[in-house]
Amino acid sequence: MRAREAGIILGTLPPGTTNSIADVAGVRVGHTTLIRGNGALVRGVGPVRTGVTAILPHDDDLFRLKVPAAASVFNGFGKTIGLVQLDELGQLETPILLTNTLNVGRVADALVAFMVERNPAIGVTTGTVNPVVCECNDSFLNDIGGRHVGEQEVRPALTVAPGTPVLEGNVGAGTGMTTYCFAGGIGTASRCLSPAQGRYTLGALVLSNFGRCGDLVIGGVPVGRELEEPRQKRVAQHVGQEQGSIIVVLATDAPLDARQLGRLARRVPLGLARTGTSGGHGSGDLAIAFSTADRIPHDAGPLVRSVQVLNEQNPAIDGLFAAVVEATEEAVINALCTAHSMDGRDNHWAQALPLVETLAILKRYGRIQ
């Protein structure tokens, strides 16, 4: 179950209707999950524990009607595509795709094919397209070298129907991921600002694959330390230097330009820190933030374009900063709470967070009723 369903209330701001990134109107999330085979690793065959996740900012043609966006890399141990142009122009013109490390190229190729199919002018009468693909390393459970995610897997994730609930845990790109040494993957959460602050909504989605067991903190409680000793005996290969990663995608309907979105993205580490991480050397950590409040036309237009942006002298900007921190924190905990135990290659095993034991710890510390 999700954190709030279990009685774990994080932060003070109210969540949106679904407490997910899809609470930002128009945002859709699609997954393709691949689970097949077990036992010893056979490169190119399996076991396969991987997938792809697509985040679509709106239902219109994203290439023709781009959205303002920004990225913040707070530990660059990652292999992404598309962030250079995104940073330069402050625009997002494709869905954001998440997958595993060695599948970035194949997924980007599939995304380009998808965009060209919908915009045949790309590369002919107009410019090229900038695919945005991010990754985490699922090689502990998955035949990552087999590169099992291609166009056939990417298409269903990109064509998810509006209104589809955002699935969490070890689904899509999160299928083979672990978090704080437990099964992890996809998590999401949202926060809503007050009427005085514009009633804006901010949602976060994480691809969570980082952390050491003993570092896990939930609601200020050192849950990981309480769980660590018996956990070390069962999964010793997870103990030691942190070598995971996390990708955080922020969406908001607040009217923010790329510079302001960059300010939001740079607050993401504060939310991650609340879960206990210090950002290990081998952890590739970054955030992408976009706003759905503006549409940036692809085609040439008038010399100037009028845009409304949030007045940063208004306290609403602080409300958005708080929303980033709270939604990021809860999204990570939701990934842990919703993931189930997962076996993988060479009989590796990622146990689900022992929720009953975790809740007992939180109750003992007075964190939940």
Side-chain angles (χ1 to χ4, degrees), residues 114-133:
F114 178 85
M115 298 301 294
V116 170
E117 180 181 291
R118 281 152 179 75
N119 291 275
I122 290 174
V124 181
T125 59
T126 189
T128 57
V129 66
N130 182 51
V132 176
V133 183

Side-chain angles (χ1 to χ4, degrees), residues 138-159:
D138 58 14
S139 62
F140 178 68
L141 297 177
N142 177 50
D143 170 27
I144 193 170
R147 299 186 298 153
H148 297 279
V149 183
E151 189 164 352
Q152 180 179 342
E153 291 73 31
V154 169
R155 289 295 178 118
L158 285 168
T159 53

Side-chain angles (χ1 to χ4, degrees), residues 340-352:
H340 56 79
S341 296
M342 180 73 71
D343 69 339
R345 58 112 174 157
D346 298 323
N347 298 314
H348 288 180
W349 176 257
Q351 179 192 349

Side-chain angles (χ1 to χ4, degrees), residues 37-285:
N38 53 59
L41 171 67
V42 179
R43 179 60 57 82
V45 177
V48 179
R49 303 290 187 272
T50 194
V52 60
T53 295
I55 301 97
L56 296 86
H58 60 64
D59 294 331
D60 296 324
D61 184 339
L62 187 55
F63 180 74
R64 292 289 174 186
L65 295 171
K66 311 174 199 304
V67 295
S72 176
V73 178
F74 30 101
N75 197 54
F77 205 104
K79 293 81 182 167
T80 61
I81 290 178
L83 295 193
V84 173
Q85 181 174 312
L86 189 153
D87 270 340
E88 181 69 21
L89 302 184
Q91 300 174 3
L92 180 66
E93 62 183 15
T94 72
I96 299 168
L97 295 191
L98 310 177
T99 189
N100 73 53
T101 308
L102 298 186
N103 252 124
V104 168
R106 294 196 70 205
V107 168
D109 182 68
L111 179 54
V112 168
F114 178 85
M115 298 301 294
V116 170
E117 180 181 291
R118 281 152 179 75
N119 291 275
I122 290 174
V124 181
T125 59
T126 189
T128 57
V129 66
N130 182 51
V132 176
V133 183
C134 302
E135 53 77 29
C136 289
N137 185 340
D138 58 14
S139 62
F140 178 68
L141 297 177
N142 177 50
D143 170 27
I144 193 170
R147 299 186 298 153
H148 297 279
V149 183
E151 189 164 352
Q152 180 179 342
E153 291 73 31
V154 169
R155 289 295 178 118
L158 285 168
T159 53
V160 60
T164 301
V166 183
L167 301 180
E168 295 174 283
N170 26 26
V171 297
T175 303
M177 305 299 177
T178 59
T179 299
Y180 288 107
C181 303
F182 298 101
I186 299 294
T188 187
S190 68
R191 292 294 186 269
C192 298
L193 270 58
S194 68
Q197 294 181 334
R199 296 185 187 272
Y200 299 124
T201 300
L202 182 139
L205 181 141
V206 301
L207 175 60
S208 184
N209 188 54
F210 73 106
R212 298 177 300 178
C213 179
D215 294 336
L216 174 61
V217 173
I218 300 179
V221 174
V223 170
R225 291 209 302 269
E226 298 276 353
L227 297 172
E228 185 172 36
E229 183 175 350
R231 183 68 189 159
Q232 285 180 345
K233 295 176 182 177
R234 290 194 292 270
V235 191
Q237 59 264 55
H238 270 304
V239 180
Q241 186 176 16
E242 180 181 338
Q243 294 182 345
S245 298
I246 186 166
I247 307 298
V248 182
V249 178
L250 304 175
T252 184
D253 55 9
L256 305 179
D257 61 20
R259 180 188 62 81
Q260 293 170 319
L261 289 164
R263 299 190 72 196
L264 295 192
R266 288 191 290 276
R267 265 67 183 181
V268 162
L270 300 175
L272 297 178
R274 287 189 177 188
T275 70
T277 184
S278 56
H281 163 70
S283 184
D285 310 321

